[in-house]
């Protein structure tokens, strides 16, 4: 049973990190119907920035430690990634507004290749060790068997970010504007919503969440390289589609399902099949529910 | 402004390089001015191009509004639709056929790769360009072809010539079987499912015993030429009389000509398909699914056909690829492969055969040319993809529809029946 | 249109020879009743109009007829010949077209990036036979068929005044011509019943008048029956033999144009309570 619970917890952790990235995909898709292939790279850049600033800030002139270090690094990584997300949108997607569906997709793929190679060139193509940023905290002994402090902090972080996001989308003016654009961009524009601004904000939020995901995965796996964005991005995108792309709760549910599936498959079957299980689940679910779990199958208007 | 912004953005990654040995930061201040200077230049060019683009759009809009809607054809498009098209293709074919006799084995190898990708591009074009089904797992069918030859050759010693049709057949069947459950998915859902299918195929190949996992299969035999040892007497003959490069492996040369023949065959097939009842059904499907059904077209059947037939060429290309490279393992068939082929289709111009050919040539040959920049080539490649899409989203060559010339003989030519002048294209002269 | 009485009798009693009829056709979306037991008959060789305020369920009715939505209850009977009956309920849209019901769409749905001729040729799809091997081999049979249908399509385009733009892309046509092309494309399927969904939407008065003549022309030339959804009262009154009025998914009146004009229920539906 303990084995089961530890698999459950690791699935939950993994799922929540996927969820952080998946939210970026689903929000962007909800608003401009674009699969933002460069999103995984933003997550990777988030992890790199976090690593660089950890090294910077924990070294002698500043010498931060514990919570201050974690929070400062998280903030810097989030801000930088947000800016990267914004810039990527301005360069690669905004000039393509109104083009055919495939043009932005290819542009996104190009951007993804560019960012990957950019990081590889200016940094390194080797694996980098990620320091343990999670402060020492005492967990009740009964939990410690299944839940380590890293996973605990990851869950807290994720839960907090999602609560903030939900609040933002439900109760702020910008959140309302975003929902309006997702419903009908033309109508939203006619009622005075600045479409460009909404899209920018969406990219920034998505990138911030991805950066947090990058930081947390760094803390949990303890090593990063320029290529981590690709697989994580693909998984997160799968999660978003699984849940019904465009739907925010859908992305979270999809990500959790994916996390559990991988974790249990790795534990009970074999770890070499864990990636496959995720994709097989996706195909099965989409075969029976073509719109994803939370997605609505729209009746096409004629 | 933009320069400052990007420099600021890039500062931590570019300047604060992590030193893996000492586990400390290794500031590289000298990079900053270089970065700033290059960003500055790029920004100016970018701005200029954007201005030019919006100016061009404006003039086009004005022209259209004033009824002067003559879309200005670029020279590439003009070439693609000139009536010399066929002759041009033949000339091109002759040039491509001569190349191996005047160049090195290295060039032949790259050209073979480019030709393989042309086949792949044309096959995917049937699915994505013509039928509008986004397939992100196309490389899986390529893998099926390659593994068909590799495995059947390895275990049963079957020859290339038996495996070529078999590889195509297996890919088609697999395409059909995969198509069955997922064909009712639309747009991006189809994309992600095909993507997962591609990944699953790769993972299966990695994990199964009889595919020899990540080690892959080595020593794949080259195709036989009536059992002749090509590197013996025939080679000596060719080297002596046709100026063939002395270190050229004739087996490779033979593969080059096989894939060239496959490409020619593919071009003919795809062209004929596109201008047939079936091809029109696919086009209708891409343009508007509902209207397509309202025309009496069975949507599911048309989609399945496109999906399965598109996979056929991937299978063919796969078999040739295996024989060219003589060693395959699952990592030859990663997601990047699918992306590469898709980029060929989109960059070249959707639903345009010359477009796909040029797209493949550019995408395969360009990185080779960029070897000069060695490390930077993929970086430049990515940037070029973005630039291409921003400034020429329709691809290098926009597709051109066939023009039908109708010669009315019975009715007196009141208003001339057809707008097209005979010089526009060479198709279907109809007399009644 | 003085010979209107040839096709229907004016008192709204339809005992003639219906080519298409629905009995108690209902469509429910979730809790919303979009169509409520609709009984409608299209007489052979006549023009029948279906009118009603926005959101009355007219287009939904079309979608049920053509198989885009499966109706919740009721029957759709189609009689291509007098003594042959087919129930269309539950058939897929392409089947329905193959059997002889063709339609146009409220918001034009042409194949925009294809030429005008290709649009019409696609309409010929279900009467053509060439398969995969025909397309690849281009044997004599395929080429003959191809030629025959290109000729057919071309003639059709000439007949409806589109010959000047045969090779133009559909999206480059002027709006009125696009509407016409959509009708021609539907005619290319050689239907027994032509369903027109607001063909006059977006046309000016002159074009609408031309359209009225065109519809009558089609009926007499192509020997088919037309079911028409339309907002333009002028057109409906002039062109149609029988008019059905729908409101909130129910039929509220049926009869000849002159009767409908004076029907108090219709006036109420259109103008609201006095």
């Amino acid at each position: 049973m303990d084995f089961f619970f530890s698999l459950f917890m690791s699935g939950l952790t993994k799922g929540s990190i996927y969820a952080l990235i998946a939210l970026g995909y689903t929000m962007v898709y909800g608003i401009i119907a674009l699969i933002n292939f460069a999103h995984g790279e933003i997550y990777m850049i988030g992890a790199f920035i976090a690593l660089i600033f950890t090294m910077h800030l924990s070294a002698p002139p500043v010498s931060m430690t514990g919570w201050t270090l974690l929070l400062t690094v998280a903030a810097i990584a989030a801000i930088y990634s947000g800016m990267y997300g914004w810039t990527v949108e301005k360069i690669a997607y905004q000039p393509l507004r109104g083009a055919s569906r495939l043009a932005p997709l290819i542009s996104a793929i190009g951007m993804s290749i560019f960012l990957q190679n950019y990081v590889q060139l200016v940094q390194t193509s080797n694996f980098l060790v990620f320091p343990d940023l999670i402060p020492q905290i005492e967990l009740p002994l009964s939990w410690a068997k299944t839940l380590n402090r890293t996973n605990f902090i990851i869950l807290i972080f994720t839960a907090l970010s999602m609560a903030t996001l939900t609040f933002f989308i439900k109760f702020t003016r910008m959140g309302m504007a975003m929902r309006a654009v997702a419903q009908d961009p033309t109508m939203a524009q006619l009622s005075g919503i600045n479409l460009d601004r909404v899209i920018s904000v969406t990219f920034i939020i998505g990138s911030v969440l991805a950066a947090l995901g990058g930081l947390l995965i760094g803390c949990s796996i303890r090593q990063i390289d320029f290529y981590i964005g690709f697989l994580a991005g693909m998984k997160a995108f799968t999660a978003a589609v699984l849940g019904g792309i465009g739907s925010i709760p859908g992305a979270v549910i999809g990500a959790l399902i994916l996390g559990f599936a991988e974790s249990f498959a790795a534990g009970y079957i074999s770890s070499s099949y864990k990636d496959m299980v995720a994709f097989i689940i996706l195909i099965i679910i989409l075969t029976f529910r073509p719109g994803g779990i939370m997605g609505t199958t729209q009746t096409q208007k004629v | 402004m933009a320069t400052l912004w990007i420099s600021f953005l890039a500062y931590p990654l570019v300047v604060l390089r992590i030193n893996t040995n000492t586990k400390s930061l290794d500031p590289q201040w000298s990079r900053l001015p270089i970065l700033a200077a290059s960003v500055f230049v790029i920004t100016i060019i970018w701005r200029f191009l954007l201005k030019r683009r919006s100016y061009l759009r404006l003039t086009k809009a004005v022209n259209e509004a004033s009824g002067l809607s003559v879309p200005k054809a670029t020279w590439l498009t003009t070439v693609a639709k000139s009536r010399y098209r066929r002759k041009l293709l033949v000339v091109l074919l002759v040039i491509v056929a001569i190349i191996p006799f005047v160049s090195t084995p290295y060039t032949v190898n790259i050209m073979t790769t480019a030709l393989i990708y042309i086949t792949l591009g044309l096959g995917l074009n049937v699915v994505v360009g013509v039928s509008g089904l986004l397939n992100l797992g196309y490389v899986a069918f390529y893998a099926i072809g390659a593994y068909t030859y590799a495995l059947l050759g390895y275990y049963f010693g079957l020859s290339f010539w038996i495996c070529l049709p078999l590889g195509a057949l297996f890919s088609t069947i697999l395409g059909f079987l995969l198509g069955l459950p997922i064909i009712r998915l639309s747009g991006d859902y189809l994309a992600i499912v095909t993507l997962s299918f591609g990944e699953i195929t790769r993972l299966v190949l990695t994990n199964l015993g009889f595919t020899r996992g990540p080690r892959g299969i080595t020593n794949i035999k080259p195709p036989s030429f009536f059992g002749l040892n090509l590197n013996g007497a025939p080679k000596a003959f060719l080297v002596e009389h046709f100026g063939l490069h002395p270190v050229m492996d004739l087996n490779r040369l033979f593969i080059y000509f096989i894939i060239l023949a496959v490409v020619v065959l593919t071009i003919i097939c795809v062209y004929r398909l596109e201008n047939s009842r079936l091809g029109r059904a696919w086009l209708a499907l891409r343009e508007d699914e509902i209207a397509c059904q309202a025309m009496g077209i069975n949507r599911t059947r048309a989609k399945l056909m496109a999906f399965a037939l598109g996979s056929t060429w991937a299978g063919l290309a796969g078999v040739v690829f295996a024989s060219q490279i003589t060693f395959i393992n699952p990592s030859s068939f990663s997601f990047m492969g699918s992306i590469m082929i898709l980029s060929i289709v989109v960059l070249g111009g959707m639903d345009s055969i010359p477009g796909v050919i040029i797209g493949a040539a550019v995408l395969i040959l360009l990185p080779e040319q960029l070897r000069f920049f060695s490390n930077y080539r993929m970086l430049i490649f990515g940037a070029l993809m973005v630039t291409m899409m921003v400034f020429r989203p329709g691809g290098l060559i926009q597709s051109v529809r066939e023009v039908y010339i109708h010669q009315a003989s019975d009715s007196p030519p009141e208003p001339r029946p057809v707008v097209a002048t005979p010089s526009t294209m060479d198709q279907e002269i109809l007399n009644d | 249109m003085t010979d209107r009485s040839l096709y229907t009798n004016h008192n709204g009693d339809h005992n003639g020879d219906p080519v298409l009829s629905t009995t108690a056709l209902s469509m429910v979306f979730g809790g919303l009743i979009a169509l409520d037991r609709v009984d409608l008959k299209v007489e052979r060789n006549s023009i029948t109009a279906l009118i009603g305020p926005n959101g009355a369920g007219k287009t939904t009715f079309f979608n049920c007829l053509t198989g885009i939505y499966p109706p919740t209850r009721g029957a759709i009977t189609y009689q291509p010949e007098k003594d042959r009956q087919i129930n269309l309920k539950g058939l897929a849209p392409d089947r329905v077209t193959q059997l002889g019901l063709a339609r146009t769409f409220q918001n034009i749905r042409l194949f925009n990036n294809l030429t005008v001729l290709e649009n019409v040729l696609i309409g010929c799809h279900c009467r053509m036979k060439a398969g995969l091997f025909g397309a690849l081999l281009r044997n004599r049979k395929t080429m003959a068929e191809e030629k025959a249908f290109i000729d057919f399509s071309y003639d059709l385009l000439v007949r409806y005044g589109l010959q000047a733009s045969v090779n133009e892309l559909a999206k480059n046509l002027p709006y009125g011509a696009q509407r016409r092309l959509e009708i021609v494309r539907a005619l290319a399927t050689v239907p027994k019943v032509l369903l027109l969904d607001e063909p006059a939407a977006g046309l000016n008065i002159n074009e609408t008048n031309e359209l009225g003549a065109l519809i009558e022309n089609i009926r007499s030339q192509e020997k088919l029956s037309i079911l028409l959804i339309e907002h333009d009262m002028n057109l409906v009154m002039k062109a149609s033999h029988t008019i059905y009025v729908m409101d909130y998914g129910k039929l509220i009146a049926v009869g000849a144009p002159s009767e409908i004009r004076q029907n108090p229920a219709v006036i109420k539906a259109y103008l609201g309570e006095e």
Side-chain angles (χ1 to χ4, degrees):
Chain A
M1 219 45 200
D2 275 356
F3 185 54
F4 176 84
F5 275 117
S6 68
L7 287 181
F8 181 85
M9 285 323 294
S10 93
L12 190 64
T13 321
K14 210 182 240 168
S16 48
I17 292 179
Y18 286 153
L20 282 177
I21 316 170
L23 283 171
Y25 277 109
T26 220
M27 283 166 64
V28 167
Y29 190 90
I31 291 203
I32 52 175
L34 163 75
I35 304 174
N36 179 11
F37 263 96
H39 192 63
E41 314 316 327
I42 299 283
Y43 150 88
M44 178 266 295
I45 285 177
F48 264 88
I49 300 263
L51 176 57
I52 288 170
F53 277 95
T54 311
M55 295 171 96
H56 199 52
L57 294 176
S58 60
V62 195
S63 299
M64 284 189 190
T65 47
W67 284 104
T68 9
L69 180 65
L70 176 66
L71 293 176
T72 322
V73 164
I76 294 177
I79 290 170
Y80 255 104
S81 294
M83 294 191 302
Y84 264 97
W86 183 83
T87 315
V88 164
E89 196 270 328
K90 283 281 171 268
I91 293 176
Y93 308 141
Q94 199 190 51
L96 280 169
R97 212 137 303 146
S100 72
R101 299 269 328 247
L102 274 177
L105 186 71
I106 298 293
S107 181
I109 292 167
M111 200 30 126
S112 161
I113 295 176
F114 177 84
L115 288 177
Q116 244 179 52
N117 286 279
Y118 155 74
V119 173
Q120 185 195 4
L121 273 175
V122 298
Q123 291 292 337
T124 169
S125 49
N126 298 329
F127 271 105
L128 293 171
V129 177
F130 204 92
D132 186 6
L133 281 176
I134 309 289
Q136 292 297 334
I137 42 167
E138 290 296 319
L139 285 178
L141 212 68
S142 53
W143 297 10
K145 259 193 270 175
T146 49
L147 183 69
N148 62 30
R149 68 194 155 85
T150 317
N151 288 358
F152 179 72
I153 296 289
I154 288 177
L155 289 178
I156 301 274
F157 248 81
T158 325
L160 276 179
S161 336
M162 287 186 193
T164 319
L165 180 69
T166 316
F167 175 81
F168 179 82
I169 294 207
K170 282 250 155 79
F171 299 110
T172 61
R173 270 176 68 85
M174 195 29 121
M176 197 157 83
M178 285 168 72
R179 281 182 288 151
V181 172
Q183 285 280 323
D184 187 339
T186 325
M187 269 321 284
Q189 258 182 312
L190 286 178
S191 24
I193 290 172
N194 183 339
L195 188 64
D196 280 338
R197 190 146 88 214
V198 171
I199 294 174
S200 295
V201 171
T202 312
F203 270 87
I204 292 173
I205 295 178
S207 307
V208 166
L209 293 174
L212 290 180
L215 169 73
L216 295 175
I217 203 89
C219 293
S220 139
I221 299 182
R222 304 289 305 278
Q223 59 174 10
I224 57 172
D225 75 342
F226 73 97
Y227 204 62
I228 54 167
F230 179 72
L231 195 65
M234 211 153 79
K235 292 277 181 56
F237 179 56
T238 308
V241 174
L242 197 58
I245 194 155
S247 141
I248 287 178
V252 178
I253 292 177
L256 289 179
I257 291 180
L258 204 66
F260 286 133
E262 278 189 11
S263 177
F264 287 121
Y268 288 116
I269 307 171
S270 145
S271 62
S272 53
Y273 281 97
K274 74 171 188 193
D275 291 337
M276 216 148 84
V277 169
F279 292 126
I280 288 175
I281 287 186
L282 176 81
I283 293 189
I284 293 173
I285 289 192
L286 284 188
T287 308
F288 292 105
R289 274 196 71 97
I293 296 171
M294 300 289 277
T296 46
T297 17
Q298 316 149 325
T299 12
Q300 246 173 326
K301 266 201 126 173
V302 182
Chain B
M1 236 348 256
T3 314
L4 278 179
W5 172 253
I6 304 259
S7 304
F8 172 64
L9 211 56
Y11 156 76
L13 281 169
V14 174
V15 177
L16 303 176
R17 187 161 192 268
I18 298 168
N19 189 320
T20 22
N21 296 328
T22 58
K23 298 217 165 65
S24 62
L25 291 175
D26 200 358
Q28 310 255 326
W29 291 108
S30 61
R31 283 171 167 184
L32 198 57
I34 302 174
L35 174 82
S38 44
V39 170
F40 184 67
V41 175
I42 293 172
T43 321
I44 288 178
I45 299 175
W46 185 266
R47 287 261 163 83
F48 168 74
L49 286 174
L50 270 183
K51 278 240 173 69
R52 186 169 156 267
R53 187 181 79 153
S54 53
Y55 169 75
L56 285 178
R57 279 197 184 159
L58 197 71
T59 36
K60 198 176 153 219
V62 169
N63 279 345
E64 262 168 22
S66 53
L68 299 165
S69 80
V70 187
K72 233 170 71 184
T74 59
W75 64 271
L76 274 173
T77 317
T78 317
V79 169
K81 73 188 212 192
S82 83
R83 65 175 151 156
Y84 302 114
R85 189 176 52 169
R86 232 169 241 183
K87 284 172 197 154
L88 208 75
L89 274 179
V90 173
V91 171
L92 200 68
L93 186 66
V94 171
I95 294 175
V96 173
I98 289 175
I99 281 178
F101 295 98
V102 294
S103 64
T104 58
Y106 172 72
T107 318
V108 170
N109 214 5
I110 294 174
M111 291 288 289
T112 311
T113 311
L115 287 171
I116 289 178
Y117 273 90
I118 290 180
T119 316
L120 288 169
L122 287 170
L124 185 62
N125 186 39
V126 169
V127 186
V128 180
V130 179
S131 318
L133 306 166
L134 189 49
N135 183 346
L136 291 181
Y138 194 62
V139 84
F141 303 107
Y142 183 42
I144 301 297
Y147 266 91
T148 302
Y149 179 40
L151 290 176
L152 290 180
Y154 182 78
Y155 288 108
F156 305 105
L158 288 187
S159 83
F160 176 85
W161 295 108
I162 297 175
C163 290
L164 193 64
L166 274 183
L169 184 70
F170 287 162
S171 293
T172 315
I173 292 174
L174 203 76
F176 180 77
L177 289 181
L178 173 71
L180 276 181
I182 65 167
I183 215 71
R184 64 199 183 106
L185 297 176
S186 59
D188 299 303
Y189 288 97
L190 188 70
I192 183 73
V193 170
T194 47
L195 188 160
S196 340
F197 175 73
E199 285 300 299
I200 290 176
T201 310
R202 191 173 59 80
L203 291 167
V204 167
L205 291 175
T206 315
N207 288 315
L208 280 186
F210 76 93
T211 60
R212 297 168 39 92
R215 285 169 304 158
I217 294 168
T218 47
N219 287 327
I220 300 167
K221 281 178 296 177
S224 61
F225 184 73
F226 304 112
L228 218 63
N229 177 11
L230 286 172
N231 278 327
K235 180 174 167 182
F237 176 76
L238 283 176
V239 169
E240 198 170 319
H241 296 281
F242 290 92
L244 190 74
H245 202 283
V247 292
M248 184 85 71
D249 180 350
L250 262 212
N251 285 319
R252 302 236 148 184
L253 192 62
F254 187 41
I255 294 174
Y256 178 80
F257 282 103
I258 292 174
I259 187 68
L260 190 59
V262 170
V263 166
V264 172
L265 189 78
T266 310
I267 292 176
I268 296 174
C269 287
V270 172
Y271 174 79
R272 289 189 165 184
L273 276 176
E274 240 188 86
N275 295 289
S276 71
R277 169 176 178 265
L278 190 60
R280 281 191 298 266
W282 290 338
L283 289 164
L285 192 69
R286 175 191 76 186
E287 293 290 312
D288 190 322
E289 284 201 16
I290 295 207
C292 161
Q293 283 185 296
M295 293 297 104
I297 295 166
N298 185 331
R299 182 170 64 163
T300 319
R301 195 191 297 165
K303 276 188 180 177
L304 266 177
M305 282 278 241
F307 210 77
L309 274 178
S311 316
T312 313
W313 279 287
L316 279 178
V319 176
V320 179
F321 171 72
S323 74
Q324 181 214 5
I325 207 114
T326 69
F327 161 69
I328 55 167
N329 70 352
S331 63
S332 323
F333 307 100
S334 67
F335 176 59
M336 259 332 272
S338 297
I339 291 300
M340 202 67 185
I341 307 167
L342 183 68
S343 308
I344 286 173
V345 176
V346 179
L347 277 178
M350 297 264 281
D351 170 32
S352 150
I353 294 173
V356 171
I357 295 173
I358 292 194
V362 168
L363 281 200
I364 302 304
L365 302 182
L366 190 71
E368 293 301 328
Q369 297 309 310
L370 287 177
R371 264 194 207 290
F372 170 62
F373 299 98
S374 61
N375 294 329
Y376 293 93
R377 69 193 179 112
M378 284 317 279
L379 188 81
I380 296 175
F381 180 66
L384 273 181
M385 275 171 82
V386 175
T387 320
M388 250 317 275
M389 284 301 109
V390 171
F391 296 108
R392 217 183 148 80
L396 287 166
I397 299 186
Q398 258 94 357
S399 92
V400 182
R401 301 305 318 154
E402 290 297 329
V403 168
Y404 297 85
I405 296 161
H406 196 280
Q407 293 177 340
S409 51
D410 47 354
S411 57
E414 308 145 10
R416 277 237 344 121
V418 184
V419 277
T421 50
S423 68
T424 339
M425 232 198 288
D426 61 339
Q427 271 319 290
E428 324 287 351
I429 310 284
L430 301 163
N431 305 301
D432 49 356
Chain C
M1 261 150 273
T2 45
D3 55 352
R4 196 178 276 151
S5 54
L6 279 176
Y7 304 103
T8 33
N9 39 10
H10 278 225
N11 48 22
D13 184 0
H14 302 266
N15 297 321
D17 169 23
V19 61
L20 184 70
S21 56
T22 65
T23 33
L25 193 72
S26 300
M27 178 77 211
V28 182
F29 290 113
L32 179 84
I33 301 170
L35 291 178
D36 191 4
R37 284 160 291 163
V38 175
D39 294 307
L40 184 144
K41 276 194 176 70
V42 179
E43 296 292 317
R44 200 175 297 281
N45 235 334
S46 78
I47 298 176
T48 308
L50 176 61
I51 63 171
N54 278 328
K58 302 174 305 258
T59 298
T60 307
F61 182 68
F62 261 33
N63 289 340
C64 284
L65 285 184
T66 51
I68 291 177
Y69 303 147
T72 319
R73 269 183 301 279
I76 307 164
T77 316
Y78 168 56
Q79 289 176 274
E81 285 92 37
K82 255 194 173 153
D83 39 9
R84 191 163 149 237
Q85 285 200 357
I86 304 170
N87 188 0
L88 294 183
K89 192 186 163 194
L91 291 183
D94 47 299
R95 254 331 266 150
V96 172
T97 309
Q98 283 163 23
L99 288 169
L101 257 70
R103 71 172 290 180
T104 66
F105 297 89
Q106 194 173 343
N107 39 353
I108 306 175
R109 280 172 172 268
L110 287 172
F111 305 122
N112 275 326
N113 294 307
L114 305 183
T115 63
V116 168
L117 185 72
E118 281 171 321
N119 266 278
V120 182
L121 273 175
I122 289 169
C124 302
H125 180 92
C126 46
R127 288 182 303 129
M128 292 173 80
K129 299 227 158 50
L132 176 60
F133 295 101
L136 289 178
L137 301 174
R138 293 217 162 164
N139 51 4
R140 190 173 298 165
K141 202 175 123 206
T142 313
M143 293 317 281
E145 182 192 66
E146 191 81 6
K147 182 183 176 321
F149 277 97
I150 290 174
D151 285 349
F152 168 86
S153 307
Y154 186 79
D155 286 347
L156 208 57
L157 285 168
V158 172
R159 218 179 308 156
Y160 293 100
L162 286 165
Q163 74 272 36
S165 33
V166 177
N167 287 313
E168 243 168 276
L169 294 188
K171 67 176 173 193
N172 294 340
L173 289 185
Y175 187 80
Q178 291 194 355
R179 283 257 173 236
R180 219 158 351 127
L181 175 57
E182 215 191 7
I183 297 175
V184 174
R185 189 183 65 178
L187 287 177
T189 66
V190 193
K192 290 246 167 26
V193 184
L194 179 63
L195 308 168
L196 301 175
D197 195 347
E198 295 200 21
L203 300 185
N204 63 31
I205 299 176
N206 284 335
E207 288 170 324
T208 308
N209 286 338
E210 280 171 30
L211 181 76
L214 178 74
I215 291 176
E216 175 53 33
N217 234 334
I218 292 173
R219 184 196 62 80
S220 55
Q221 279 199 15
E222 316 287 340
K223 306 205 171 38
L224 44 71
S225 326
I226 294 176
L227 177 60
L228 175 75
I229 293 182
E230 192 42 74
H231 271 304
D232 191 297
M233 279 304 151
N234 251 329
L235 176 72
V236 170
M237 292 298 165
K238 259 199 272 174
S240 49
H241 306 126
T242 313
I243 298 177
Y244 286 83
V245 189
M246 187 181 263
D247 195 15
Y248 294 112
K250 278 193 184 118
L251 289 182
I252 55 171
V254 52
S258 51
E259 298 162 350
I260 293 297
R261 219 188 294 263
Q262 277 125 38
N263 189 317
V266 179
I267 296 168
K268 199 175 108 188
Y270 268 86
L271 302 176
E273 300 280 352
E274 287 293 304

